[in-house]
């Protein structure tokens, strides 16, 4: 299924008038506050988030998986589905592949298809948390941290193979997330596991092309439930520093223990020039991989406040890799991803309304009430007309979810693909 600009233009017509009055009203309000509305709208237009190739079908848990039918059963169909999301939102111009779930069968063909849909290949993800058919060694007791040299070498070679695959697609980053850890006290020697992981990452790092990054993703638990080798930002930062300048930390919002102050972690990693990217999602309890902004939208806003400050004040930190990492148990995967993109854009837009100079001045004068007033004035501003204008300028839908439903996309996909196709991934 492919959407064209005319279809989207026609669907926008009925909402154009109300959008224009909303946008003009908001523009006047923000202009009176000294904000540059055009620069905010263009920043939103340029803000592209990578869609995870492993989240275009129904997710599931050990208790069950319920399909939405019409799922993509090939990488080509996954790129098509990302094309539908990008046509509607104009902010999903990249895909993050997970290997071996999504190894291209024809590199030129997949690059041509992605190019035609304005989709770039963002970070590629290695997978040493599952055993592959016919594999010599098992990752049951870990991969890069394993006490077995043979297992570590197999995992290192897999990561070098993933770099090679990404290189052929134009990707510029490798994301390493390890399930490595233990389920019981005494099972692992923490120092041996950490040092093995460091040495293994250094071997992978040696295979990284000069213009690439290595993104080290941390997570406190699951699938191991007593210890995880790369458990938090500190472990990830130490391992990245142990590798070199091209290695950075990756912040998955769901990979924090309850009540963690993620915005402070983001702020300090930027100060140290070691924040490489994000896996956006939301969660109530654990790594729930829920729709972005569906549970803690204010926390997401506070994170974007630190990101906007960092983008203005931390030239030592590289451009960030923006990616979604979610799983869809009860929502149509494409609608869920569209809602996540909207929440990310909304948090970014609200953070761009913050007068950082006023905030700094209030902080210097310990005017705690004013600090909160500045933040919450921005947070309480309905910025949706700015997002709509950015989409409109780029040829997208004023209301992507309404357009998706008006265009009957899911049923079209079921007609095309049937009810029994299953997407690779989690
Ligand atoms: C681990 C994780 C990681 C991916 C996987 C699909 O929980 O967040 O980023 O490899 O999900
Ligand atoms: Mn993740």
């Amino acid at each position: 299924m492919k959407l064209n600009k005319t279809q989207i233009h026609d669907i926008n017509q009925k909402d154009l008038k109300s959008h224009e009055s909303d946008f003009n009203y908001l523009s006047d309000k923000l202009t009176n506050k000294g904000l540059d509305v055009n620069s905010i709208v263009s920043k939103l237009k340029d803000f592209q988030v990578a869609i995870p190739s492993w989240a275009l079908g129904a997710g599931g848990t050990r208790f069950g998986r319920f399909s939405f039918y019409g799922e993509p059963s090939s990488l080509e169909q996954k790129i098509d589905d990302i094309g539908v999301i990008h046509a509607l939102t104009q902010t999903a111009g990249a895909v993050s592949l997970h290997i071996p779930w999504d190894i291209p069968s024809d590199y030129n063909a997949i690059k041509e298809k992605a190019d035609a849909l304005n989709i770039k290949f963002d970070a590629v993800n290695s997978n040493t948390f599952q055993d592959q058919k016919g594999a010599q060694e098992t990752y049951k007791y870990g991969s890069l941290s394993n006490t077995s040299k043979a297992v570590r070498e197999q995992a290192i070679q897999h990561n070098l193979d993933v770099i090679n695959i990404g290189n052929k697609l134009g990707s510029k980053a490798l994301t390493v997330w390890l399930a490595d850890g233990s389920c019981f006290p005494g099972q692992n020697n923490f120092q041996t596991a950490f040092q093995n992981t460091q040495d293994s990452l250094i071997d992978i790092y040696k295979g990284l092309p000069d213009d690439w990054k290595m993104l080290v993703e941390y997570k406190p638990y699951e699938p191991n439930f007593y210890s995880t080798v790369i458990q938090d930002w500190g472990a990830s930062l130490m391992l990245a520093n142990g590798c070199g300048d091209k290695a950075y930390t990756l912040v998955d919002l769901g990979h924090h223990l309850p009540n963690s102050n993620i915005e402070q972690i983001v702020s300090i990693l930027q100060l140290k020039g070691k924040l490489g990217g994000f896996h956006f999602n939301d969660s109530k309890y654990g790594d729930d991989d829920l729709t972005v902004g569906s549970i803690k939208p204010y926390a997401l806003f506070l994170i974007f406040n630190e990101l906007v400050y960092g983008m203005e004040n931390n030239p030592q930190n590289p451009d960030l890799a923006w990616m979604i990492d979610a799983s869809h148990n009860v929502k149509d995967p494409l609608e869920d991803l569209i809602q996540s993109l909207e929440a990310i854009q909304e948090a970014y837009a609200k953070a761009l309304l913050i007068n950082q100079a006023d905030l700094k001045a209030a902080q210097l004068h310990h005017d705690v009430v004013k600090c909160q007033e500045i933040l919450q004035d921005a947070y309480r501003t309905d910025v949706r007309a700015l997002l709509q204008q950015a989409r409109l300028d780029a040829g997208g839908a004023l209301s992507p979810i309404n357009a998706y439903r008006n265009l009957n996309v899911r049923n079209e996909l079921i007609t095309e693909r049937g009810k029994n196709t299953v997407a690779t991934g989690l």
Side-chain angles (χ1 to χ4, degrees), residues 161-177:
D161 296 344
V162 172
I163 292 171
N164 187 25
I165 290 168
N167 218 8
K168 286 193 266 187
L169 293 167
S171 171
K172 294 294 181 194
L174 168 72
T175 296
V176 179
W177 169 68

Side-chain angles (χ1 to χ4, degrees), residues 324-395:
I324 291 173
D325 184 1
S327 179
H328 326 288
N329 299 346
V330 293
K331 290 182 180 180
D332 177 320
L334 303 189
E335 292 190 333
D336 198 337
L337 290 163
I338 289 170
Q339 288 186 315
S340 282
L341 291 163
E342 179 89 359
I344 294 167
Q345 286 254 318
E346 187 179 19
Y348 183 33
K350 288 180 184 229
L352 289 169
L353 303 186
I354 298 167
N355 185 314
Q356 295 288 341
D358 288 357
L359 181 59
K360 194 83 174 181
Q363 289 164 341
L364 288 173
H365 296 95
H366 307 304
D367 186 343
V368 182
V369 170
K370 179 129 190 243
C371 291
Q372 182 171 320
E373 288 300 309
I374 291 169
L375 285 185
Q376 296 203 335
D377 178 44
Y379 183 71
R380 292 168 175 156
T381 305
D382 182 350
V383 294
R384 289 176 290 180
L386 298 175
L387 279 59
Q388 289 174 332
Q389 189 59 41
R391 287 194 291 267
L392 203 58
D393 291 353

Side-chain angles (χ1 to χ4, degrees), residues 13 32 34 224 253 307:
Q13 294 321 299
N32 296 343
N224 278 296
L253 298 184
L307 289 168

Side-chain angles (χ1 to χ4, degrees), residues 8 16 45 54 56 132 147 267 275 313-314 368 412 419:
I8 295 172
L16 217 45
K45 233 174 95 189
W54 60 91
L56 291 157
Q132 304 310 318
T147 52
S267 171
L275 179 66
N313 296 281
N314 304 136
V368 182
E412 291 290 327
K419 286 191 165 188

Side-chain angles (χ1 to χ4, degrees), residues 406-422:
N406 287 343
L407 292 163
N408 204 15
V409 174
R410 179 51 58 190
N411 290 330
E412 291 290 327
L413 292 174
I414 293 171
T415 309
E416 247 178 63
R417 298 168 181 171
K419 286 191 165 188
N420 305 318
T421 50
V422 177

